[in-house]
Short mmCIF file of all heavy atoms in Angstrom, two decimals:
data_model
loop_
_atom_site.label_atom_id
_atom_site.label_comp_id
_atom_site.label_asym_id
_atom_site.label_seq_id
_atom_site.Cartn_x
_atom_site.Cartn_y
_atom_site.Cartn_z
N GLU A 196 11.37 11.42 12.75
CA GLU A 196 11.84 12.66 12.14
C GLU A 196 13.32 12.89 12.49
O GLU A 196 14.12 13.23 11.61
CB GLU A 196 10.98 13.82 12.64
CG GLU A 196 11.46 15.21 12.30
CD GLU A 196 11.43 15.49 10.82
OE1 GLU A 196 10.64 14.82 10.13
OE2 GLU A 196 12.20 16.34 10.36
N ALA A 197 13.66 12.67 13.76
CA ALA A 197 15.04 12.89 14.19
C ALA A 197 15.99 11.92 13.50
O ALA A 197 17.03 12.33 12.97
CB ALA A 197 15.15 12.74 15.71
N ILE A 198 15.60 10.64 13.46
CA ILE A 198 16.45 9.63 12.82
C ILE A 198 16.62 9.97 11.34
O ILE A 198 17.71 9.88 10.78
CB ILE A 198 15.81 8.23 12.97
CG1 ILE A 198 15.61 7.88 14.43
CG2 ILE A 198 16.63 7.17 12.23
CD1 ILE A 198 16.72 7.19 15.10
N PHE A 199 15.52 10.40 10.72
CA PHE A 199 15.58 10.75 9.30
C PHE A 199 16.57 11.88 9.07
O PHE A 199 17.40 11.83 8.17
CB PHE A 199 14.20 11.15 8.78
CG PHE A 199 14.18 11.47 7.32
CD1 PHE A 199 13.89 10.48 6.39
CD2 PHE A 199 14.47 12.75 6.86
CE1 PHE A 199 13.89 10.76 5.04
CE2 PHE A 199 14.47 13.03 5.51
CZ PHE A 199 14.18 12.03 4.60
N GLU A 200 16.50 12.88 9.93
CA GLU A 200 17.36 14.04 9.74
C GLU A 200 18.83 13.67 9.90
O GLU A 200 19.68 14.08 9.11
CB GLU A 200 16.96 15.13 10.74
CG GLU A 200 17.27 16.51 10.23
CD GLU A 200 16.67 17.58 11.10
OE1 GLU A 200 15.50 17.41 11.52
OE2 GLU A 200 17.37 18.56 11.37
N LEU A 201 19.11 12.86 10.92
CA LEU A 201 20.48 12.43 11.16
C LEU A 201 21.02 11.67 9.95
O LEU A 201 22.11 11.95 9.44
CB LEU A 201 20.54 11.51 12.39
CG LEU A 201 20.33 12.15 13.76
CD1 LEU A 201 20.01 11.08 14.78
CD2 LEU A 201 21.58 12.92 14.17
N ARG A 202 20.23 10.71 9.48
CA ARG A 202 20.70 9.87 8.39
C ARG A 202 20.77 10.66 7.09
O ARG A 202 21.65 10.44 6.27
CB ARG A 202 19.78 8.66 8.23
CG ARG A 202 19.97 7.68 9.36
CD ARG A 202 19.17 6.43 9.15
NE ARG A 202 19.32 5.53 10.30
CZ ARG A 202 18.57 4.47 10.51
NH1 ARG A 202 17.60 4.17 9.67
NH2 ARG A 202 18.77 3.70 11.55
N ASN A 203 19.82 11.59 6.93
CA ASN A 203 19.81 12.39 5.72
C ASN A 203 21.06 13.27 5.64
O ASN A 203 21.70 13.36 4.60
CB ASN A 203 18.54 13.23 5.68
CG ASN A 203 18.34 13.89 4.33
OD1 ASN A 203 18.62 13.28 3.31
ND2 ASN A 203 17.89 15.13 4.33
N ASP A 204 21.42 13.88 6.77
CA ASP A 204 22.61 14.72 6.80
C ASP A 204 23.85 13.90 6.46
O ASP A 204 24.70 14.33 5.68
CB ASP A 204 22.77 15.37 8.17
CG ASP A 204 21.79 16.52 8.37
OD1 ASP A 204 21.07 16.82 7.39
OD2 ASP A 204 21.74 17.09 9.46
N ALA A 205 23.92 12.70 7.07
CA ALA A 205 25.07 11.84 6.81
C ALA A 205 25.10 11.43 5.34
O ALA A 205 26.16 11.43 4.71
CB ALA A 205 25.02 10.61 7.71
N ALA A 206 23.93 11.10 4.79
CA ALA A 206 23.87 10.67 3.39
C ALA A 206 24.31 11.80 2.47
O ALA A 206 25.02 11.58 1.48
CB ALA A 206 22.46 10.22 3.05
N LEU A 207 23.90 13.03 2.80
CA LEU A 207 24.26 14.16 1.96
C LEU A 207 25.75 14.43 1.99
O LEU A 207 26.36 14.72 0.95
CB LEU A 207 23.50 15.42 2.40
CG LEU A 207 22.02 15.48 1.98
CD1 LEU A 207 21.37 16.71 2.57
CD2 LEU A 207 21.88 15.47 0.48
N THR A 208 26.38 14.30 3.16
CA THR A 208 27.81 14.60 3.21
C THR A 208 28.64 13.45 2.65
O THR A 208 29.63 13.69 1.97
CB THR A 208 28.27 14.89 4.66
OG1 THR A 208 27.74 13.87 5.51
CG2 THR A 208 27.80 16.25 5.13
N VAL A 209 28.24 12.21 2.93
CA VAL A 209 29.08 11.08 2.49
C VAL A 209 28.79 10.70 1.04
O VAL A 209 29.70 10.54 0.24
CB VAL A 209 28.88 9.86 3.42
CG1 VAL A 209 29.76 8.70 2.96
CG2 VAL A 209 29.23 10.23 4.85
N PHE A 210 27.50 10.56 0.70
CA PHE A 210 27.16 10.04 -0.63
C PHE A 210 26.68 11.12 -1.59
O PHE A 210 26.39 10.84 -2.74
CB PHE A 210 26.07 8.96 -0.54
CG PHE A 210 26.37 7.89 0.45
CD1 PHE A 210 25.46 7.60 1.45
CD2 PHE A 210 27.53 7.15 0.37
CE1 PHE A 210 25.73 6.60 2.37
CE2 PHE A 210 27.81 6.16 1.28
CZ PHE A 210 26.91 5.88 2.29
N LYS A 211 26.53 12.34 -1.12
CA LYS A 211 26.04 13.45 -1.94
C LYS A 211 24.65 13.17 -2.52
O LYS A 211 24.35 13.53 -3.66
CB LYS A 211 27.01 13.76 -3.09
CG LYS A 211 28.42 14.00 -2.64
CD LYS A 211 28.65 15.45 -2.22
CE LYS A 211 30.09 15.67 -1.81
NZ LYS A 211 30.44 15.01 -0.54
N GLU A 212 23.83 12.45 -1.78
CA GLU A 212 22.44 12.25 -2.20
C GLU A 212 21.59 12.10 -0.95
O GLU A 212 22.12 11.84 0.14
CB GLU A 212 22.30 11.02 -3.11
CG GLU A 212 22.74 9.74 -2.47
CD GLU A 212 22.66 8.56 -3.42
OE1 GLU A 212 22.00 8.67 -4.45
OE2 GLU A 212 23.25 7.54 -3.09
N SER A 213 20.28 12.28 -1.10
CA SER A 213 19.46 12.30 0.11
C SER A 213 19.13 10.87 0.56
O SER A 213 19.19 9.92 -0.21
CB SER A 213 18.18 13.08 -0.14
OG SER A 213 17.34 12.34 -0.98
N TYR A 214 18.79 10.78 1.83
CA TYR A 214 18.43 9.49 2.43
C TYR A 214 17.22 8.90 1.72
O TYR A 214 17.14 7.69 1.50
CB TYR A 214 18.13 9.74 3.91
CG TYR A 214 17.75 8.52 4.71
CD1 TYR A 214 18.53 7.37 4.68
CD2 TYR A 214 16.63 8.54 5.52
CE1 TYR A 214 18.19 6.27 5.43
CE2 TYR A 214 16.28 7.44 6.28
CZ TYR A 214 17.06 6.31 6.23
OH TYR A 214 16.71 5.22 6.98
N LYS A 215 16.31 9.79 1.33
CA LYS A 215 15.09 9.35 0.67
C LYS A 215 15.41 8.65 -0.66
O LYS A 215 14.81 7.63 -0.99
CB LYS A 215 14.20 10.56 0.42
CG LYS A 215 12.74 10.22 0.45
CD LYS A 215 11.90 11.47 0.45
CE LYS A 215 10.49 11.15 0.88
NZ LYS A 215 9.78 12.33 1.31
N GLN A 216 16.37 9.22 -1.39
CA GLN A 216 16.77 8.62 -2.67
C GLN A 216 17.28 7.21 -2.46
O GLN A 216 16.91 6.28 -3.19
CB GLN A 216 17.86 9.46 -3.33
CG GLN A 216 17.33 10.62 -4.15
CD GLN A 216 18.45 11.50 -4.63
OE1 GLN A 216 19.33 11.87 -3.87
NE2 GLN A 216 18.42 11.84 -5.90
N ILE A 217 18.15 7.05 -1.45
CA ILE A 217 18.71 5.72 -1.17
C ILE A 217 17.59 4.77 -0.79
O ILE A 217 17.50 3.64 -1.29
CB ILE A 217 19.75 5.81 -0.04
CG1 ILE A 217 20.90 6.72 -0.44
CG2 ILE A 217 20.29 4.42 0.30
CD1 ILE A 217 21.90 6.98 0.66
N GLN A 218 16.70 5.25 0.08
CA GLN A 218 15.58 4.42 0.54
C GLN A 218 14.72 3.93 -0.61
O GLN A 218 14.40 2.75 -0.71
CB GLN A 218 14.70 5.25 1.48
CG GLN A 218 14.89 4.96 2.93
CD GLN A 218 13.96 5.78 3.77
OE1 GLN A 218 13.52 6.86 3.39
NE2 GLN A 218 13.66 5.28 4.95
N SER A 219 14.36 4.88 -1.49
CA SER A 219 13.43 4.49 -2.56
C SER A 219 14.10 3.57 -3.56
O SER A 219 13.49 2.65 -4.08
CB SER A 219 12.83 5.72 -3.23
OG SER A 219 13.85 6.50 -3.77
N ARG A 220 15.41 3.81 -3.81
CA ARG A 220 16.11 2.93 -4.73
C ARG A 220 16.23 1.52 -4.15
O ARG A 220 16.08 0.53 -4.84
CB ARG A 220 17.49 3.49 -5.05
CG ARG A 220 17.58 3.96 -6.50
CD ARG A 220 18.97 4.33 -6.87
NE ARG A 220 19.43 5.44 -6.04
CZ ARG A 220 20.60 5.47 -5.44
NH1 ARG A 220 21.43 4.46 -5.54
NH2 ARG A 220 20.96 6.51 -4.72
N LEU A 221 16.48 1.48 -2.85
CA LEU A 221 16.60 0.18 -2.16
C LEU A 221 15.28 -0.58 -2.24
O LEU A 221 15.26 -1.79 -2.45
CB LEU A 221 17.00 0.41 -0.71
CG LEU A 221 17.47 -0.80 0.08
CD1 LEU A 221 18.74 -1.35 -0.54
CD2 LEU A 221 17.73 -0.43 1.52
N ALA A 222 14.18 0.15 -2.10
CA ALA A 222 12.88 -0.51 -2.17
C ALA A 222 12.59 -1.00 -3.58
O ALA A 222 11.92 -2.01 -3.78
CB ALA A 222 11.80 0.46 -1.72
N MET A 223 13.12 -0.27 -4.58
CA MET A 223 12.84 -0.63 -5.96
C MET A 223 13.63 -1.85 -6.42
O MET A 223 13.07 -2.84 -6.84
CB MET A 223 13.18 0.56 -6.88
CG MET A 223 12.19 1.68 -6.82
SD MET A 223 10.74 1.34 -7.80
CE MET A 223 11.34 1.84 -9.40
N ASP A 224 14.98 -1.76 -6.32
CA ASP A 224 15.73 -2.87 -6.93
C ASP A 224 16.76 -3.53 -6.02
O ASP A 224 17.54 -4.35 -6.49
CB ASP A 224 16.37 -2.42 -8.25
CG ASP A 224 17.03 -1.07 -8.14
OD1 ASP A 224 17.63 -0.80 -7.07
OD2 ASP A 224 16.96 -0.28 -9.06
N LYS A 225 16.78 -3.16 -4.74
CA LYS A 225 17.59 -3.89 -3.76
C LYS A 225 19.04 -4.11 -4.20
O LYS A 225 19.59 -5.20 -4.05
CB LYS A 225 16.96 -5.24 -3.42
CG LYS A 225 15.59 -5.10 -2.79
CD LYS A 225 15.10 -6.41 -2.24
CE LYS A 225 13.85 -6.24 -1.41
NZ LYS A 225 12.75 -5.59 -2.14
N ALA A 226 19.66 -3.07 -4.76
CA ALA A 226 21.04 -3.20 -5.21
C ALA A 226 21.97 -3.31 -4.00
O ALA A 226 21.75 -2.64 -3.00
CB ALA A 226 21.42 -1.98 -6.04
N PRO A 227 23.01 -4.17 -4.09
CA PRO A 227 23.92 -4.33 -2.95
C PRO A 227 24.62 -3.03 -2.57
O PRO A 227 24.93 -2.82 -1.40
CB PRO A 227 24.92 -5.38 -3.43
CG PRO A 227 24.61 -5.67 -4.84
CD PRO A 227 23.27 -5.14 -5.16
N VAL A 228 24.84 -2.15 -3.56
CA VAL A 228 25.49 -0.86 -3.26
C VAL A 228 24.64 -0.08 -2.27
O VAL A 228 25.14 0.46 -1.27
CB VAL A 228 25.65 -0.04 -4.55
CG1 VAL A 228 26.51 1.18 -4.28
CG2 VAL A 228 26.21 -0.88 -5.67
N ASP A 229 23.34 -0.03 -2.55
CA ASP A 229 22.45 0.74 -1.68
C ASP A 229 22.29 0.07 -0.33
O ASP A 229 22.13 0.73 0.69
CB ASP A 229 21.08 0.90 -2.35
CG ASP A 229 21.17 1.78 -3.57
OD1 ASP A 229 21.92 2.78 -3.50
OD2 ASP A 229 20.52 1.47 -4.57
N ARG A 230 22.35 -1.26 -0.34
CA ARG A 230 22.22 -1.96 0.93
C ARG A 230 23.40 -1.61 1.83
O ARG A 230 23.23 -1.38 3.02
CB ARG A 230 22.15 -3.47 0.69
CG ARG A 230 21.41 -4.18 1.78
CD ARG A 230 21.04 -5.60 1.46
NE ARG A 230 22.12 -6.34 0.84
CZ ARG A 230 21.98 -7.05 -0.27
NH1 ARG A 230 20.83 -7.09 -0.90
NH2 ARG A 230 23.00 -7.72 -0.76
N ASP A 231 24.59 -1.55 1.25
CA ASP A 231 25.77 -1.19 2.04
C ASP A 231 25.66 0.24 2.55
O ASP A 231 26.03 0.53 3.70
CB ASP A 231 27.03 -1.34 1.19
CG ASP A 231 27.39 -2.81 1.00
OD1 ASP A 231 26.80 -3.64 1.71
OD2 ASP A 231 28.23 -3.11 0.14
N LYS A 232 25.15 1.13 1.71
CA LYS A 232 24.99 2.52 2.12
C LYS A 232 24.05 2.61 3.33
O LYS A 232 24.31 3.30 4.31
CB LYS A 232 24.42 3.35 0.97
CG LYS A 232 25.45 3.71 -0.08
CD LYS A 232 24.82 4.54 -1.17
CE LYS A 232 25.85 4.93 -2.21
NZ LYS A 232 25.25 5.68 -3.32
N MET A 233 22.93 1.88 3.22
CA MET A 233 21.95 1.87 4.30
C MET A 233 22.57 1.29 5.57
O MET A 233 22.34 1.80 6.66
CB MET A 233 20.76 1.01 3.85
CG MET A 233 19.53 1.21 4.67
SD MET A 233 19.00 2.91 4.64
CE MET A 233 17.38 2.73 4.03
N GLU A 234 23.38 0.26 5.39
CA GLU A 234 24.04 -0.40 6.52
C GLU A 234 24.92 0.60 7.26
O GLU A 234 24.91 0.66 8.49
CB GLU A 234 24.86 -1.56 5.95
CG GLU A 234 24.85 -2.85 6.72
CD GLU A 234 23.49 -3.29 7.21
OE1 GLU A 234 22.72 -3.91 6.46
OE2 GLU A 234 23.23 -3.03 8.39
N LEU A 235 25.67 1.40 6.49
CA LEU A 235 26.54 2.40 7.10
C LEU A 235 25.71 3.42 7.89
O LEU A 235 26.04 3.75 9.03
CB LEU A 235 27.36 3.12 6.02
CG LEU A 235 28.09 4.40 6.49
CD1 LEU A 235 29.12 4.07 7.54
CD2 LEU A 235 28.74 5.12 5.33
N LEU A 236 24.63 3.90 7.28
CA LEU A 236 23.80 4.90 7.96
C LEU A 236 23.20 4.33 9.24
O LEU A 236 23.05 5.02 10.24
CB LEU A 236 22.68 5.38 7.02
CG LEU A 236 23.16 6.17 5.80
CD1 LEU A 236 21.99 6.47 4.89
CD2 LEU A 236 23.84 7.45 6.22
N LYS A 237 22.89 3.03 9.19
CA LYS A 237 22.32 2.40 10.38
C LYS A 237 23.36 2.22 11.47
O LYS A 237 23.04 2.27 12.65
CB LYS A 237 21.71 1.04 10.02
CG LYS A 237 20.31 1.18 9.47
CD LYS A 237 19.68 -0.16 9.23
CE LYS A 237 18.31 0.02 8.62
NZ LYS A 237 17.83 -1.22 8.01
N ILE A 238 24.61 1.98 11.07
CA ILE A 238 25.67 1.87 12.08
C ILE A 238 25.92 3.23 12.71
O ILE A 238 26.09 3.35 13.92
CB ILE A 238 26.96 1.29 11.45
CG1 ILE A 238 26.77 -0.21 11.18
CG2 ILE A 238 28.17 1.50 12.35
CD1 ILE A 238 27.89 -0.86 10.41
N LEU A 239 25.92 4.26 11.89
CA LEU A 239 26.17 5.62 12.40
C LEU A 239 25.04 6.07 13.33
O LEU A 239 25.28 6.62 14.40
CB LEU A 239 26.31 6.60 11.24
CG LEU A 239 27.56 6.48 10.37
CD1 LEU A 239 27.49 7.48 9.23
CD2 LEU A 239 28.82 6.69 11.18
N TYR A 240 23.82 5.85 12.90
CA TYR A 240 22.67 6.30 13.70
C TYR A 240 21.66 5.17 13.84
O TYR A 240 20.70 5.09 13.09
CB TYR A 240 22.01 7.52 13.05
CG TYR A 240 22.96 8.65 12.84
CD1 TYR A 240 23.36 9.00 11.57
CD2 TYR A 240 23.46 9.36 13.92
CE1 TYR A 240 24.27 10.04 11.36
CE2 TYR A 240 24.36 10.38 13.73
CZ TYR A 240 24.76 10.72 12.45
OH TYR A 240 25.65 11.75 12.26
N PRO A 241 21.90 4.26 14.77
CA PRO A 241 20.97 3.13 14.94
C PRO A 241 19.65 3.60 15.54
O PRO A 241 19.64 4.54 16.34
CB PRO A 241 21.71 2.19 15.89
CG PRO A 241 22.63 3.08 16.66
CD PRO A 241 22.99 4.23 15.75
N ASP A 242 18.56 2.97 15.12
CA ASP A 242 17.26 3.35 15.68
C ASP A 242 16.80 2.29 16.68
O ASP A 242 15.91 1.52 16.40
CB ASP A 242 16.23 3.57 14.57
CG ASP A 242 16.15 2.39 13.63
OD1 ASP A 242 17.05 1.54 13.68
OD2 ASP A 242 15.20 2.33 12.84
N ARG A 243 17.43 2.29 17.82
CA ARG A 243 17.02 1.35 18.85
C ARG A 243 15.95 2.00 19.72
O ARG A 243 16.23 2.95 20.45
CB ARG A 243 18.22 0.94 19.70
CG ARG A 243 19.17 -0.02 18.99
CD ARG A 243 20.22 -0.51 19.94
NE ARG A 243 21.21 0.53 20.19
CZ ARG A 243 22.37 0.61 19.55
NH1 ARG A 243 22.68 -0.27 18.62
NH2 ARG A 243 23.22 1.57 19.83
#
Side-chain angles (χ1 to χ4, degrees):
Chain A
E196 170 66 24
I198 302 270
F199 182 92
E200 208 170 318
L201 288 163
R202 288 185 182 168
N203 191 38
D204 285 356
L207 284 176
T208 48
V209 181
F210 309 125
K211 306 275 181 290
E212 60 183 344
S213 71
Y214 180 51
K215 211 170 196 161
Q216 274 173 313
I217 299 174
Q218 258 182 334
S219 59
R220 249 188 298 133
L221 194 63
M223 286 280 277
D224 45 37
K225 297 191 171 56
V228 189
D229 293 321
R230 207 167 44 230
D231 286 348
K232 282 181 178 177
M233 196 59 122
E234 221 45 83
L235 167 63
L236 293 174
K237 276 185 183 163
I238 287 173
L239 291 177
Y240 304 110
D242 52 347
R243 286 188 285 263

